[in-house]
Amino acid sequence: MQVEQESKSLLTFKTKMVPYLFLAPNLIIFSIFIILPAIIGIYYSFTDFDGLRSPNWVGFENYRRLWEDDRFRAAMWNTIRLVVATVPIVFMTSLFIALIIIRPLKARGFFRASYYWPVMISLIVVGFMWQWILNPRFGLFNSVITGLGFNASSTLLDARFAWWGVVFIFTWSRAGYYMIMFVAALLSVPVQLYEAAQIDGASKLQRFWYVTYPSIKPARIMVFILAAMEVFKIYPIIVTFTGGGPFRATRFTVQHIYETAFQSYEVGYASAMSVIMLLFVTVFTGINFFVSSRGERDA
Amino acid sequence: MRKAGIGSYVIAFIFLTIFLLPVFYIVFSSFKPSSELTSAAQTFFPREWTFRNFTRAFERGNFVLFIWNTFFVAVLSTLLAVLINTMSGYALAKFRFKGDKIILILILSTIMLPLEVIMVPIFSVLRFFGLYNSLWALIIPPAATPTGIFLMRQFLLKIPDEVLESARIDGASEWRIFYSIVAPNAKPAIATIAIFSFMWRWNDYVWPLIAIASPRRYTLQLAIANFAGEYNIDWNSTLAMSVVSMIPMLIVFLIFQRQFVQGTVETGMK
């Protein structure tokens, strides 16, 4: 009797352990490579760590310095401006091509695949590709506009051109991805809603504005948040497109953090920048979720 | 449904050219000889076709080695990702246990911690575990993906509990249930995780940038980025390398197009 009970409790212990064992590999990796670095990063941000000598505690010194650091502020501000400019453009482009692709076109699959294809190309190659097309000396862009009788542009040597170039190539590279999300949402709008609107005599534009647009709200919020997060951490595409130039015009937060840590070896200082960046991301997503869930209740 | 009008086709074609022409132009450019590449009057098609850029790229700087490194990383990391994410997804979908909700929320909240934010301390962690400058640093850590787990969990919720229970009553071990009942039933989700993982690893830049130092361990993206970042860009070999690096993704895409479309929708719904 005693023995039987013991083996039974051992058995239930073993069955209780099963889900934890299945989860173990992932949880170990997450703890070591996400949670642990996050904690270490916060610790570093309060030290003068240079990557070699053992770190000394400096309190809020790094954060105080950040407050007065024009270069960091410029990189952050530049990133925020990029988010504000790029997200609506990506949003509208991907919604627009999604609306085209759900029309009963012949060879619809072919169009959809072609729009999606840039998503499959690495950001490094996308940046390089467009540097090749837009470079001022022997880019196709200049060959075309001089062929049309215009003066050659200084393209990527011009700060404004390069900055808007980033907006454009990001959109080019990612619109297909968000298009797919919109397509899924658009196809799940109930047909009855359109029929009812049509009976009521709504025009095409009215149908879009009063039926389609409100119905795809979850997808809209998702695309908005995902795109904003992506632009906020923009980096690889810049490496091969402009390298941050000309004159820091396309220098954004992640590049600044990377170079501060791995080229100037100011690891503690760079960690403080990362913490600030994380706060921005968290606050931004938090506000979005808050606003969108409140809108849900009002509706 | 009625047919789309001519206007729709015109717009669809305009976007087609915007998305495809630049890619074609890169492919054609990679067949141009040096003299044409550095000429101010560029043409869309090469005036003279040559394979020199490709042969030069293969001669220069261990290009074959970079391809091999990338392939090695992408394949192994994908296998690992499929295994551990299916395991975790199964645990979260089909077991009730202490802390299950908290673990799920914890896993999902790691999405909020992008690699770019923790890259500085990750460098220290990799050094501590002796993974710095090792390809394993590109294989093991990125294999655990919150989106993969969530995708798998959502998918496995659909498997009826009775099937698993009856296998348990028949005395099948938990591991056996996992690989002979759960895994075969999860094939569509496994396919999605596999192709996305392969694409992420093949195209990845930030992980290799943090983890790899010596050129012998470069992946393709790291090599292309370094060549393209030089003051005097070697257009010939960098163009050729870029084109070659796109080929495996093109093949994967053409075969698994449907899964990509499906997966984009599912992974987006975090």
Side-chain angles (χ1 to χ4, degrees):
Chain A
M1 191 68 201
Q2 186 71 38
V3 175
E4 200 174 283
Q5 208 164 25
E6 221 162 72
S7 76
K8 205 178 165 194
S9 75
L10 194 70
L11 202 72
T12 51
F13 175 72
K14 268 172 99 180
T15 38
K16 269 190 183 155
M17 283 309 288
V18 169
Y20 297 105
L21 290 176
F22 275 119
L23 277 165
N26 259 315
L27 292 184
I28 292 170
I29 295 177
F30 281 141
S31 318
I32 296 178
F33 296 104
I34 296 181
I35 299 170
L36 180 64
I39 296 167
I40 296 176
I42 293 171
Y43 164 67
Y44 279 171
S45 76
F46 292 104
T47 68
D48 63 354
F49 192 40
D50 61 2
L52 284 171
R53 279 165 295 182
S54 57
N56 297 309
W57 186 265
V58 295
F60 282 92
E61 171 59 23
N62 287 328
Y63 291 94
R64 196 197 55 75
R65 213 180 122 196
L66 268 185
W67 193 250
E68 293 161 0
D69 184 340
D70 289 339
R71 287 200 168 167
F72 175 69
R73 236 191 332 213
M76 274 300 264
W77 179 231
N78 208 11
T79 311
I80 293 167
R81 276 168 53 220
L82 191 75
V83 172
V84 171
T86 312
V87 172
I89 293 175
V90 173
F91 184 97
M92 286 189 291
T93 310
S94 47
L95 180 56
F96 188 75
I97 55 178
L99 287 167
I100 297 172
I101 226 73
I102 59 162
R103 314 254 318 135
L105 298 168
K106 267 183 199 139
R108 192 158 132 191
F110 167 73
F111 282 111
R112 191 183 59 191
S114 311
Y115 295 177
Y116 191 80
W117 168 240
V119 176
M120 308 285 301
I121 304 174
S122 84
L123 294 171
I124 289 294
V125 172
V126 169
F128 174 69
M129 200 167 133
W130 284 98
Q131 192 203 358
W132 167 241
I133 294 170
L134 295 176
N135 90 74
R137 276 159 64 212
F138 24 78
L140 182 68
F141 178 79
N142 260 342
S143 298
V144 170
I145 64 167
T146 49
L148 292 172
F150 296 98
N151 288 330
S153 157
S154 52
T155 63
L156 297 180
L157 296 176
D158 178 77
R160 270 175 70 120
F161 188 100
W163 198 87
W164 286 101
V166 173
V167 175
F168 173 78
I169 69 168
F170 180 88
T171 308
W172 182 86
S173 146
R174 301 300 298 165
Y177 181 77
Y178 296 116
M179 166 192 79
I180 296 293
M181 289 183 187
F182 278 130
V183 167
L186 288 169
L187 291 180
S188 59
V189 177
V191 186
Q192 294 93 309
L193 284 181
Y194 288 115
E195 283 165 358
Q198 206 153 15
I199 291 165
D200 291 345
S203 72
K204 252 188 187 168
L205 203 65
Q206 279 173 326
R207 257 180 289 161
F208 174 75
W209 196 245
Y210 294 107
V211 179
T212 315
Y213 197 71
S215 319
I216 57 167
K217 190 175 174 192
R220 270 160 40 209
I221 294 167
M222 200 172 68
V223 168
F224 188 81
I225 294 178
L226 290 179
M229 292 266 284
E230 238 186 297
V231 182
F232 205 80
K233 56 181 198 191
I234 196 162
Y235 180 48
I237 205 169
I238 305 294
V239 171
T240 44
F241 185 53
T242 58
F247 305 109
R248 297 174 178 271
T250 57
R251 196 179 166 88
F252 303 104
T253 315
V254 174
Q255 184 185 6
H256 191 72
I257 294 175
Y258 178 81
E259 287 175 6
T260 308
F262 296 101
Q263 288 174 11
S264 316
Y265 302 107
E266 294 190 82
V267 178
Y269 192 42
S271 299
M273 295 176 186
S274 301
V275 171
I276 298 291
M277 184 179 160
L278 181 64
L279 281 179
F280 260 81
V281 173
T282 317
V283 169
F284 173 81
T285 347
I287 291 174
N288 260 296
F289 274 120
F290 180 72
V291 170
S292 59
S293 64
R294 230 189 43 179
E296 210 80 28
R297 231 175 295 141
D298 291 345
Chain B
M1 223 172 168
R2 59 196 187 86
K3 279 198 196 117
I6 187 88
S8 302
Y9 281 99
V10 171
I11 299 171
F13 264 106
I14 292 173
F15 276 98
L16 187 76
T17 50
I18 295 173
F19 284 118
L20 285 190
L21 277 191
V23 186
F24 286 149
Y25 178 60
I26 292 303
V27 175
F28 289 135
S29 294
S30 68
F31 290 101
K32 288 178 182 173
S34 294
S35 55
E36 274 187 55
L37 285 179
T38 50
S39 125
Q42 286 294 320
T43 50
F44 192 78
F45 297 102
R47 277 178 285 241
E48 188 192 323
W49 292 73
T50 172
F51 277 101
R52 272 290 305 282
N53 300 331
F54 293 93
T55 51
R56 254 188 68 180
F58 277 97
E59 282 158 18
R60 186 193 166 174
N62 304 321
F63 190 37
V64 180
L65 187 68
F66 302 151
I67 296 177
W68 167 248
N69 286 345
T70 318
F71 192 74
F72 180 79
V73 166
V75 169
L76 284 189
S77 189
T78 298
L79 290 176
L80 187 64
V82 164
L83 177 68
I84 65 178
N85 292 326
T86 309
M87 281 165 63
S88 296
Y90 171 51
L92 291 169
K94 286 292 153 197
F95 288 89
R96 289 286 146 270
F97 54 95
K98 236 190 206 135
D100 52 357
K101 293 247 162 54
I102 297 170
I103 289 178
L104 181 66
I105 292 170
L106 216 78
I107 287 174
L108 288 180
S109 60
T110 58
I111 295 173
M112 294 284 297
L113 265 176
L115 174 62
E116 287 80 356
V117 172
I118 48 175
M119 61 187 177
V120 178
I122 273 190
F123 178 78
S124 307
V125 171
L126 290 176
R127 296 230 344 204
F128 180 80
F129 285 98
L131 284 170
Y132 181 61
N133 204 17
S134 148
L135 289 180
W136 292 102
L138 310 182
I139 293 170
I140 299 169
T145 55
T147 36
I149 296 172
F150 190 64
L151 187 95
M152 189 52 80
R153 173 184 175 269
Q154 297 307 92
F155 190 84
L156 291 179
L157 283 174
K158 284 181 264 174
I159 295 185
D161 287 326
E162 295 79 51
V163 181
L164 305 174
E165 275 316 311
S166 63
R168 270 187 201 114
I169 290 163
D170 290 346
S173 72
E174 288 297 331
W175 182 247
R176 201 190 149 78
I177 293 173
F178 175 72
Y179 76 72
S180 63
I181 299 176
V182 178
N185 273 296
K187 266 183 197 155
I190 288 178
T192 307
I193 292 177
I195 52 179
F196 271 85
S197 164
F198 189 84
M199 172 177 76
W200 287 333
R201 299 286 71 80
W202 188 271
N203 285 342
D204 195 10
Y205 174 68
V206 180
W207 267 109
L209 177 70
I210 305 167
I212 299 301
S214 69
R216 293 201 56 80
R217 306 250 158 74
Y218 275 5
T219 61
L220 273 173
Q221 306 306 329
L222 201 53
I224 294 170
N226 277 345
F227 286 170
E230 280 167 12
Y231 184 70
N232 267 321
I233 301 178
D234 177 354
W235 293 105
N236 305 57
S237 14
T238 318
L239 278 167
M241 272 206 248
S242 302
V243 169
V244 172
S245 87
M246 287 195 282
I247 293 171
M249 289 324 304
L250 182 62
I251 296 170
V252 170
F253 180 59
L254 290 178
I255 300 174
F256 297 107
Q257 217 202 100
R258 254 197 51 226
Q259 280 88 342
F260 267 108
V261 170
Q262 196 60 33
T264 303
V265 175
E266 286 161 356
T267 51
M269 309 283 180
K270 281 166 196 165

Coordinates of all heavy atoms in Angstrom, one line a residue, chain A residues 123-150:
Chain A
L123 N 17.6 43.2 -46.1 CA 17.7 44.7 -46.0 C 19.1 45.2 -46.4 O 19.2 46.3 -47.0 CB 17.4 45.1 -44.6 CG 16.0 44.9 -44.1 CD1 15.8 45.1 -42.6 CD2 15.0 45.7 -44.9
I124 N 20.1 44.4 -46.2 CA 21.5 44.7 -46.6 C 21.5 44.8 -48.2 O 22.0 45.8 -48.7 CB 22.5 43.7 -46.2 CG1 22.7 43.8 -44.6 CG2 23.8 43.8 -46.9 CD1 23.3 45.0 -44.2
V125 N 20.9 43.9 -48.8 CA 20.9 43.9 -50.3 C 20.0 45.0 -50.8 O 20.3 45.7 -51.8 CB 20.5 42.5 -50.9 CG1 20.3 42.6 -52.4 CG2 21.6 41.5 -50.6
V126 N 18.9 45.2 -50.2 CA 18.0 46.3 -50.6 C 18.7 47.6 -50.5 O 18.7 48.4 -51.5 CB 16.7 46.4 -49.7 CG1 15.9 47.7 -49.9 CG2 15.8 45.2 -49.9
G127 N 19.4 47.9 -49.4 CA 20.2 49.1 -49.3 C 21.2 49.3 -50.3 O 21.4 50.3 -51.0
F128 N 21.9 48.2 -50.6 CA 23.0 48.2 -51.6 C 22.5 48.5 -53.0 O 23.0 49.3 -53.8 CB 23.8 46.9 -51.5 CG 24.8 46.8 -52.6 CD1 26.0 47.6 -52.6 CD2 24.7 45.9 -53.6 CE1 26.9 47.6 -53.6 CE2 25.6 45.9 -54.6 CZ 26.7 46.7 -54.6
M129 N 21.4 47.7 -53.3 CA 20.7 47.8 -54.6 C 20.4 49.3 -54.9 O 20.7 49.8 -56.0 CB 19.5 47.0 -54.4 CG 18.8 46.6 -55.6 SD 17.6 45.3 -54.9 CE 16.3 45.9 -55.8
W130 N 19.8 49.9 -53.9 CA 19.3 51.3 -54.2 C 20.5 52.3 -54.1 O 20.4 53.3 -54.8 CB 18.2 51.7 -53.2 CG 16.9 51.1 -53.6 CD1 16.4 49.9 -53.0 CD2 16.0 51.5 -54.6 NE1 15.2 49.6 -53.7 CE2 15.0 50.5 -54.6 CE3 16.0 52.5 -55.5 CZ2 13.9 50.7 -55.5 CZ3 15.0 52.6 -56.4 CH2 13.9 51.7 -56.4
Q131 N 21.5 51.9 -53.4 CA 22.7 52.8 -53.5 C 23.3 52.7 -54.9 O 23.7 53.7 -55.5 CB 23.8 52.3 -52.5 CG 24.9 53.4 -52.4 CD 26.2 52.8 -51.9 OE1 26.3 51.6 -51.6 NE2 27.2 53.6 -51.8
W132 N 23.2 51.5 -55.5 CA 23.7 51.4 -56.9 C 22.9 52.1 -57.9 O 23.4 52.8 -58.8 CB 23.8 49.9 -57.2 CG 23.9 49.5 -58.6 CD1 23.1 48.8 -59.4 CD2 25.1 49.9 -59.5 NE1 23.6 48.7 -60.7 CE2 24.8 49.3 -60.7 CE3 26.2 50.6 -59.3 CZ2 25.7 49.5 -61.8 CZ3 27.1 50.7 -60.3 CH2 26.8 50.2 -61.6
I133 N 21.5 52.1 -57.7 CA 20.6 52.8 -58.6 C 20.7 54.3 -58.4 O 20.7 55.1 -59.4 CB 19.2 52.3 -58.4 CG1 19.1 50.8 -58.8 CG2 18.2 53.2 -59.2 CD1 17.8 50.2 -58.5
L134 N 20.9 54.8 -57.2 CA 20.8 56.2 -56.9 C 22.1 56.9 -56.8 O 22.2 58.1 -56.6 CB 20.0 56.4 -55.6 CG 18.5 56.0 -55.7 CD1 17.8 56.2 -54.3 CD2 17.7 56.8 -56.7
N135 N 23.2 56.1 -56.9 CA 24.5 56.8 -56.6 C 24.8 57.9 -57.6 O 24.4 57.8 -58.8 CB 25.7 55.8 -56.4 CG 26.4 55.5 -57.7 OD1 27.1 56.4 -58.2 ND2 26.1 54.4 -58.3
P136 N 25.4 59.1 -57.2 CA 25.4 60.2 -58.1 C 26.3 60.1 -59.3 O 26.1 60.7 -60.3 CB 26.0 61.3 -57.1 CG 26.6 60.6 -56.0 CD 25.8 59.3 -55.8
R137 N 27.3 59.2 -59.2 CA 28.3 59.2 -60.3 C 27.8 58.3 -61.4 O 27.9 58.6 -62.6 CB 29.7 58.8 -59.8 CG 30.4 60.0 -59.3 CD 31.6 59.6 -58.3 NE 32.6 58.8 -59.0 CZ 33.3 57.8 -58.4 NH1 33.0 57.5 -57.1 NH2 34.2 57.2 -59.1
F138 N 27.4 57.0 -61.1 CA 27.0 56.2 -62.2 C 25.7 55.4 -61.8 O 25.6 54.2 -62.1 CB 28.1 55.2 -62.7 CG 29.2 55.0 -61.6 CD1 28.9 54.1 -60.6 CD2 30.4 55.6 -61.7 CE1 29.9 53.8 -59.6 CE2 31.3 55.4 -60.7 CZ 31.1 54.5 -59.7
G139 N 24.8 56.1 -61.3 CA 23.5 55.4 -61.0 C 22.6 55.5 -62.2 O 22.6 56.5 -62.9
L140 N 21.7 54.6 -62.3 CA 20.7 54.6 -63.4 C 19.8 55.8 -63.3 O 19.4 56.4 -64.3 CB 19.9 53.3 -63.3 CG 18.8 53.1 -64.4 CD1 19.5 52.9 -65.7 CD2 17.9 52.0 -64.1
F141 N 19.5 56.2 -62.0 CA 18.6 57.3 -61.8 C 19.1 58.6 -62.5 O 18.4 59.2 -63.3 CB 18.5 57.6 -60.3 CG 17.7 58.8 -59.9 CD1 16.3 58.7 -59.9 CD2 18.2 60.0 -59.6 CE1 15.5 59.7 -59.6 CE2 17.4 61.1 -59.3 CZ 16.1 61.0 -59.2
N142 N 20.4 58.9 -62.3 CA 20.9 60.1 -63.0 C 21.0 59.9 -64.5 O 20.8 60.8 -65.3 CB 22.3 60.4 -62.4 CG 22.2 61.5 -61.4 OD1 21.2 62.3 -61.4 ND2 23.3 61.7 -60.6
S143 N 21.3 58.7 -65.0 CA 21.4 58.4 -66.4 C 20.0 58.7 -67.0 O 19.9 59.3 -68.1 CB 21.8 57.0 -66.7 OG 23.0 56.7 -66.2
V144 N 18.9 58.3 -66.3 CA 17.6 58.5 -66.8 C 17.2 59.9 -66.9 O 16.8 60.5 -67.9 CB 16.5 57.7 -66.0 CG1 15.1 58.0 -66.4 CG2 16.8 56.2 -66.2
I145 N 17.5 60.7 -65.8 CA 17.0 62.1 -65.8 C 17.9 62.9 -66.7 O 17.3 63.8 -67.3 CB 16.9 62.7 -64.3 CG1 18.2 62.8 -63.6 CG2 15.9 62.0 -63.5 CD1 18.2 63.7 -62.4
T146 N 19.1 62.6 -66.8 CA 19.9 63.4 -67.8 C 19.5 63.1 -69.2 O 19.4 63.9 -70.1 CB 21.4 63.2 -67.7 OG1 21.7 61.8 -67.6 CG2 22.0 63.9 -66.5
G147 N 19.1 61.8 -69.4 CA 18.6 61.4 -70.7 C 17.3 62.1 -71.1 O 17.0 62.4 -72.2
L148 N 16.5 62.5 -70.1 CA 15.3 63.2 -70.3 C 15.5 64.7 -70.4 O 14.5 65.4 -70.5 CB 14.3 62.9 -69.1 CG 13.7 61.5 -69.0 CD1 12.9 61.3 -67.8 CD2 12.8 61.2 -70.3
G149 N 16.7 65.1 -70.2 CA 17.1 66.5 -70.4 C 17.2 67.3 -69.1 O 17.4 68.5 -69.2
F150 N 17.1 66.6 -68.0 CA 17.3 67.4 -66.7 C 18.7 67.4 -66.3 O 19.5 66.6 -66.9 CB 16.5 66.7 -65.6 CG 15.0 66.7 -65.8 CD1 14.3 65.7 -66.3 CD2 14.3 67.9 -65.5 CE1 12.9 65.7 -66.5 CE2 12.9 67.9 -65.6 CZ 12.2 66.8 -66.2

